[in-house]
Amino acid sequence: MAKRQLLLDCSGLVLLYIFLGTLRELGAVQIRYLVPEETDKGFFVGNVSKDLGLEPRELAERGVRIVSRGKTQLFALNPRSGSLITAGRIDREELCEAISSCFLNMEILVEDTLKIYGVEVEIMDINDNAPSFQEEEVEIKVSEHATLGSRFPLPNARDPDVGMNSLQRYQLSPNSYFSLQVRGSMDGAKNPELVLEGSLDRETQAAHHLLLTALDGGDPIRHGTVPVRVVVLDVNDHIPKFTQSTYEVSVPENLSSGTRVLTVNATDPDEGINGQVVYSFRNVESKASKIFQLNSLSGDVLIQGSLDFEKYRFYEMEIQAQDGGGLSTTAKMLVTVVDVNDNAPEITITSSTNSVLENSPPGTVIALLNVQDQDSGENGQVSCFIPNNLPFKLEKTYGNYYKLITNRALDREQVQSYDITLTATDQGSPPLSTETHILLNVADDNDNPPTFTDSSYSAYILENNPRGASFFSVTALDQDSKENAQVTYSLAEDTLQGAPLSSYISINSDTGILYALCSFDYEQFHELHLWVTAHDSGNPPLSSNVSLSIFVLDQNDNVPEILYPALPTDGSTGVELAPRSAEPGYLVTKVVAVDRDSGQNAWLSYRLLKASEPGLFSVGLHTGEVRTARALLDRDALKQSLVVAVQDHGQPPLSATVTLKVAVADSIPDVLADLGSLESPASPEDSGLTLYLVVAVAAVSCVFLAFVIVLLTLRLRRWHMSRLLQASGNELAGVPASQFVGVDGVRAFLQTYSHEVSLTADSRGSHVIFPQPNYADTLVSQESCGKSEPLLITEDSVTGLGKCDPTGNQRSSSVIIGFKLNFSNIFLSSVFGYKSSDRSLLNRLRAPLLANALQELAFRVYPSDFLSSHTIKSEEE
């Protein structure tokens, strides 16, 4: 109850002593508070928000927080009231030990402005500790012959409190032999001594029991006691004597355990056990007893713990030398710990950011840090720096606080991140240093437009390209990152031949690939110029342009166009005139042609593809001039047909043909007289009969079978005709032998009737043609390909390809089987009883007879095609 009342009184005292310090350098404010020790958690220390000029709610908004150097947080900020409160129990004796004034320093950081405010809190002592002795009982041996006034040291009491609450006086229990005297020392300590006031007689009383009491000056007064037992000894004339009354030594703090600090020495002239000296510590504080060790026989003082200048800088101990007779004396040992540069500086980053926007103005704060060294003197003087090649610098703000700021604008495209090495070095010998790293990323700002890899582009595309095909791509690079580097491509608006450019070309906005939306024609336009725009996705977006020239390459896609001779539009036939008197090299006409392509694709060459009279005319290779190659002869036909081919030099080459009609005559009347014979050849239907009349003889066996059938048929006919000729032998006796062509003795007057059966490889077209009958009384001319035997089919005539084609065209692969059936009027008259004057009747009889025979023959050669598509034509004049 008394303790609680004391706390209430102290808290009232604290409120009276709160004050605001004056401003320090760089705008920092020093604030001082008082708080008693042993207060409960949450005890009010001071109104921080009021002293900082802030509202309580602004503490959290502005990031106000305590920056403490210690490992234990003793104070905290109340965000609701804005006051400084205790974060736990505060023990002044634990924090400051025997120091009279106990101050705790801390810093309060305002995060948004990066301002530091120093706060000093004085811990007020309360009388919470009673004086105490380390010994549980003290034994003092006194010779019975000790002189009056002899002094015997008593143990000192320890009180951690300070001021009036510390040790003030000693009391000794009443007795008749001893009194108590207190002797002060230079450091203010009170050393009690027992003074002999009466003569001792061991035989009367061998031991005296006293009680030593230590009292402080607190309210209420606290005290501690220790029993003192005085043993009366026999006579021992001499007491030990130290060589020095005070031993002083300075030792470095980095001494290792077991190292000897010094050796004390005391001598006793007595002999025997009374001259044997034993050493021991007296009145040694607990911290010193853990550090030092005394050899009781040799007097060597050794280090058994570790010294730390930053914790304890000075030790004072009392060494007692006692002989075997119980006599003792004391000496002081003063140990000064010398600071050694054994602590490297410490760097504490109070606040920092891991990213900063490029192009930020110089002076932008990156981090706030604190540097300290636990050593003292030069060993504790610390300097902090960063490498000079970085665009940053350190500025000192308050105390040992530094802020890291930029000293010039940053460029992410040059350096994307910085590993900033902070180095703190003290002034010790040798100096110690500490490094810490701050990794700073430079955030991208859209400060770079997209850049094309080339200043201009040229693309080539073949005409007649497929629609939608890609033909070129452009690439633009942006040195920025993320969305600032996302490049989008587009085409500048423009028109081409009255149509928007977007109807010809499109571009992939993501990849920059260009596509042709239409099929280009080199003859329409040769080149196309446009602008490609690349813009990024930054805010605001940046863009750049590049020119693109598209060249259309020519392809050989145009057939040469013949301008002369032009095809007539009225159905007439154009004729060129060549006089029979023309000399070799005479210019008959000139073929004029053009090609819409260009370059090699438009280079034209002329050649004579076909002529009715080979070797008569020639065509200029590059001029297209048609000239006579030799002199014209009388035997040269009046009408000449020339097929001239015009070919370009493309790949593949394309060509066109034109048919020229040349009339060979000396005068126009001669030409007009024979113009009727310059008609066009047979109709396309007739000219194509050869192709459709060719029978595809697929197997030699089929041909052989047809051949056998024909032979059998001929043999039967020969037998039958021999019978008929025997009966009509008298009527044929007057006819000359040269006018007959017979088969096994059959002779007939050559009233020729020619039939041709054409079988083609195409099974869909096989025809039998009956041309005009030849009534000449001569043998068949050479134009019949040497076929003189009527109704005779040879192996060569069956298998030969194109041998009887008068046009010389070998592509039809025709198999011509010619049948020449010659029946004379006399033969028919003798067989059937008709007279030779009945020519019309004979013709009517002969035509169906021959048709039936040829149909039977075609059916036997190729029955399947004959039934499906054979056509038999018969012509008769």
Side-chain angles (χ1 to χ4, degrees):
M1 184 66 183
K3 181 177 181 180
R4 181 176 181 83
Q5 183 64 35
L6 178 61
L7 292 176
L8 293 176
D9 295 341
C10 291
S11 63
L13 182 63
V14 169
L15 295 177
L16 295 177
Y17 283 95
I18 294 176
F19 63 93
L20 182 65
T22 58
L23 292 176
R24 289 190 175 181
E25 58 177 348
L26 298 177
V29 177
Q30 182 72 30
I31 304 174
R32 179 172 293 178
Y33 299 106
L34 296 176
V35 61
E37 66 171 334
E38 300 296 337
T39 55
D40 295 332
K41 180 180 180 180
F43 183 83
F44 175 81
V45 178
N47 193 340
V48 173
S49 61
K50 180 179 179 181
D51 295 337
L52 296 181
L54 302 174
E55 293 296 330
R57 58 180 176 80
E58 292 183 281
L59 297 183
E61 295 175 357
R62 302 186 63 178
V64 179
R65 60 187 176 92
I66 297 175
V67 181
S68 177
R69 300 180 187 175
K71 298 181 180 179
T72 304
Q73 189 74 289
L74 299 177
F75 301 95
L77 288 174
N78 190 327
R80 291 183 297 178
S81 62
S83 58
L84 182 68
I85 60 175
T86 58
R89 173 181 171 271
I90 299 177
D91 188 355
R92 180 190 177 284
E93 288 74 28
E94 180 180 353
L95 296 176
C96 301
E97 296 188 358
I99 300 176
S100 60
S101 298
C102 183
F103 294 92
L104 295 182
N105 294 306
M106 58 183 169
E107 289 78 30
I108 294 179
L109 170 66
V110 180
E111 191 80 35
D112 60 342
T113 60
L114 292 179
K115 287 188 176 181
I116 296 293
Y117 296 87
V119 177
E120 186 180 79
V121 180
E122 183 179 357
I123 309 300
M124 297 174 55
D125 182 52
I126 63 174
N127 192 20
D128 57 342
N129 293 285
S132 61
F133 296 89
Q134 289 186 345
E135 298 83 0
E136 294 181 359
E137 184 181 8
V138 177
E139 183 178 280
I140 300 176
K141 294 179 180 181
V142 180
S143 174
E144 63 180 348
H145 290 167
T147 59
L148 298 178
S150 298
R151 296 175 177 272
F152 304 95
L154 294 174
N156 290 350
R158 299 294 175 185
D159 192 336
D161 295 328
V162 295
M164 292 299 297
N165 296 327
S166 63
L167 178 65
Q168 298 295 325
R169 56 193 177 92
Y170 292 93
Q171 289 181 354
L172 185 65
S173 58
N175 63 88
S176 303
Y177 297 94
F178 299 94
S179 64
L180 179 66
Q181 286 189 0
V182 179
R183 184 178 58 184
S185 61
M186 295 179 62
D187 59 356
K190 296 178 175 61
N191 301 315
E193 293 181 344
L194 189 64
V195 181
L196 181 61
E197 298 289 343
S199 299
L200 299 177
D201 188 359
R202 181 180 177 279
E203 288 71 22
T204 302
Q205 188 175 354
H208 300 270
H209 297 278
L210 306 174
L211 184 63
L212 178 63
T213 303
L215 300 96
D216 60 17
D219 185 14
I221 297 175
R222 295 178 178 272
H223 65 276
T225 59
V226 60
V228 178
R229 181 172 175 267
V230 180
V231 178
V232 181
L233 301 177
D234 285 339
V235 176
N236 186 9
D237 299 5
H238 300 89
I239 61 174
K241 184 178 181 181
F242 282 98
T243 57
Q244 298 179 19
S245 61
T246 302
Y247 292 89
E248 296 183 6
V249 63
S250 297
V251 295
E253 61 176 329
N254 59 350
L255 285 181
S256 59
S257 179
T259 303
R260 182 172 61 87
V261 176
L262 58 86
T263 300
V264 295
N265 185 26
T267 58
D268 192 329
D270 294 329
E271 294 183 355
I273 192 173
N274 293 329
Q276 297 178 358
V277 180
V278 177
Y279 303 96
S280 62
F281 281 126
R282 293 186 70 252
N283 299 326
V284 179
E285 297 179 353
S286 60
K287 61 181 180 179
S289 63
K290 297 177 182 180
I291 301 297
F292 300 99
Q293 179 184 4
L294 177 62
N295 190 315
S296 60
L297 298 179
S298 64
D300 293 336
V301 181
L302 306 176
I303 297 293
Q304 67 175 359
S306 59
L307 297 174
D308 191 350
F309 175 83
E310 286 69 38
K311 290 185 178 180
Y312 304 105
R313 304 183 180 184
F314 181 79
Y315 295 93
E316 181 180 354
M317 293 166 286
E318 190 173 15
I319 299 177
Q320 176 180 280
Q322 185 177 6
D323 59 18
L327 298 178
S328 63
T329 186
T330 60
K332 283 188 177 183
M333 185 181 73
L334 305 178
V335 179
T336 302
V337 180
V338 179
D339 184 33
V340 176
N341 192 23
D342 59 343
N343 292 284
E346 298 178 0
I347 301 176
T348 304
I349 299 177
T350 305
S351 178
S352 67
T353 178
N354 59 359
S355 178
V356 62
L357 187 66
E358 66 172 334
N359 300 327
S360 296
T364 302
V365 179
I366 304 301
L368 185 67
L369 51 107
N370 174 260
V371 180
Q372 59 182 356
D373 194 324
Q374 295 182 5
D375 294 325
S376 63
E378 291 185 352
N379 297 331
Q381 295 179 5
V382 182
S383 60
C384 187
F385 58 90
I386 61 175
N388 295 328
N389 59 346
L390 297 179
F392 307 98
K393 66 178 180 179
L394 287 172
E395 285 188 357
K396 195 170 184 179
T397 57
Y398 167 78
N400 291 329
Y401 279 89
Y402 294 84
K403 63 179 179 180
L404 178 65
I405 62 175
T406 60
N407 63 353
R408 65 173 184 267
L410 306 179
D411 189 354
R412 191 203 67 85
E413 287 69 40
Q414 294 183 359
V415 181
Q416 298 183 0
S417 63
Y418 292 92
D419 187 1
I420 306 172
T421 302
L422 300 171
T423 304
T425 305
D426 58 26
Q427 304 298 322
S429 180
L432 299 179
S433 62
T434 300
E435 290 185 354
T436 188
H437 296 269
I438 296 178
L439 183 60
L440 179 66
N441 295 319
V442 181
D444 184 45
D445 188 21
N446 192 24
D447 57 346
N448 290 283
T451 304
F452 286 93
T453 55
D454 294 323
S455 58
S456 63
Y457 292 91
S458 297
Y460 300 89
I461 182 171
L462 285 173
E463 66 171 334
N464 302 320
N465 57 286
R467 295 184 179 181
S470 62
F471 65 92
F472 195 68
S473 65
V474 295
T475 302
L477 303 177
D478 196 320
Q479 297 182 2
D480 295 324
S481 64
K482 297 181 179 179
E483 65 274 359
N484 295 332
Q486 294 179 359
V487 180
T488 303
Y489 302 91
S490 62
L491 298 178
E493 294 292 337
D494 200 354
T495 58
L496 179 64
Q497 295 184 353
L501 183 63
S502 58
S503 63
Y504 293 91
I505 302 293
S506 69
I507 188 171
N508 189 310
S509 60
D510 297 327
T511 62
I513 298 177
L514 288 101
Y515 298 90
L517 299 182
C518 64
S519 182
F520 290 102
D521 188 356
Y522 177 84
E523 289 71 36
Q524 186 178 4
F525 55 84
H526 302 335
E527 59 186 52
L528 174 63
H529 300 281
L530 52 91
W531 288 90
V532 180
T533 302
H535 54 86
D536 56 29
S537 301
N539 186 17
L542 301 178
S543 63
S544 61
N545 299 327
V546 69
S547 63
L548 172 62
S549 299
I550 301 174
F551 298 94
V552 181
L553 301 180
D554 182 44
Q555 273 190 329
N556 193 22
D557 59 340
N558 290 284
V559 177
E561 181 181 353
I562 298 176
L563 303 180
Y564 182 84
L567 294 177
T569 58
D570 57 355
S572 61
T573 302
V575 178
E576 301 292 340
L577 181 62
R580 288 188 178 275
S581 59
E583 297 295 331
Y586 174 80
L587 178 61
V588 178
T589 185
K590 181 177 182 178
V591 178
V592 180
V594 294
D595 196 318
R596 296 177 60 191
D597 295 323
S598 64
Q600 182 175 324
N601 297 329
W603 295 352
L604 300 180
S605 61
Y606 303 83
R607 64 188 177 92
L608 184 59
L609 185 65
K610 182 180 178 182
S612 58
E613 187 68 31
L616 181 57
F617 296 97
S618 64
V619 178
L621 179 63
H622 300 295
T623 61
E625 294 178 348
V626 181
R627 296 178 181 271
T628 57
R630 60 176 174 80
L632 297 176
L633 304 177
D634 293 337
R635 60 181 175 83
D636 293 331
L638 174 63
K639 57 178 181 178
Q640 297 290 334
S641 178
L642 305 178
V643 178
V644 179
V646 183
Q647 180 175 295
D648 58 26
H649 287 72
Q651 291 295 331
L654 300 179
S655 62
T657 59
V658 61
T659 302
L660 301 177
K661 300 299 183 180
V662 179
V664 179
D666 291 330
S667 61
I668 298 300
D670 294 338
V671 176
L672 296 178
D674 292 331
L675 281 179
S677 61
L678 298 179
E679 296 178 354
S680 298
S683 64
E685 180 180 0
D686 296 333
S687 63
L689 289 178
T690 301
L691 179 63
Y692 293 99
L693 291 177
V694 175
V695 176
V697 181
V700 176
S701 60
C702 294
V703 177
F704 180 75
L705 179 60
F707 181 75
V708 172
I709 294 173
V710 172
L711 287 180
L712 291 176
T713 303
L714 292 176
R715 285 185 176 275
L716 290 175
R717 182 178 293 277
R718 185 182 63 180
W719 175 80
H720 179 68
M721 293 178 67
S722 63
R723 296 285 302 271
L724 294 176
L725 290 174
Q726 288 177 2
S728 58
N730 296 330
E731 296 182 8
L732 298 175
V735 180
S738 61
Q739 301 296 322
F740 292 92
V741 177
V743 179
D744 291 341
V746 177
R747 296 291 185 267
F749 181 77
L750 291 179
Q751 181 71 11
T752 304
Y753 199 99
S754 180
H755 301 273
E756 290 183 358
V757 178
S758 299
L759 306 179
T760 65
D762 186 1
S763 62
R764 296 173 299 174
S766 298
H767 305 279
V768 178
I769 303 173
F770 295 87
Q772 294 180 357
N774 188 355
Y775 295 99
D777 294 337
T778 59
L779 293 175
V780 181
S781 65
Q782 293 180 355
E783 293 181 359
S784 301
C785 297
K787 300 183 180 73
S788 61
E789 290 294 330
L791 297 177
L792 179 60
I793 305 176
T794 65
E795 185 177 358
D796 293 337
S797 65
V798 175
T799 61
L801 299 179
K803 292 182 179 179
C804 297
D805 187 0
T807 63
N809 187 3
Q810 301 296 326
R811 293 177 297 173
S812 62
S813 301
S814 302
V815 179
I816 308 298
I817 303 176
F819 296 92
K820 301 292 185 174
L821 299 179
N822 299 318
F823 296 93
S824 66
N825 294 331
I826 299 174
F827 173 72
L828 292 177
S829 299
S830 64
V831 174
F832 296 100
Y834 294 116
K835 297 180 179 181
S836 59
S837 60
D838 299 331
R839 182 180 300 272
S840 61
L841 180 60
L842 290 177
N843 288 338
R844 287 194 299 271
L845 177 60
R846 185 170 47 191
L849 178 61
L850 293 177
N852 292 334
L854 293 176
Q855 289 179 1
E856 181 180 358
L857 177 59
F859 176 76
R860 293 180 183 274
V861 173
Y862 209 89
S864 60
D865 287 349
F866 180 83
L867 292 176
S868 61
S869 60
H870 276 64
T871 303
I872 301 177
K873 295 184 179 179
S874 179
E875 294 182 0
E876 214 176 340
E877 289 185 358

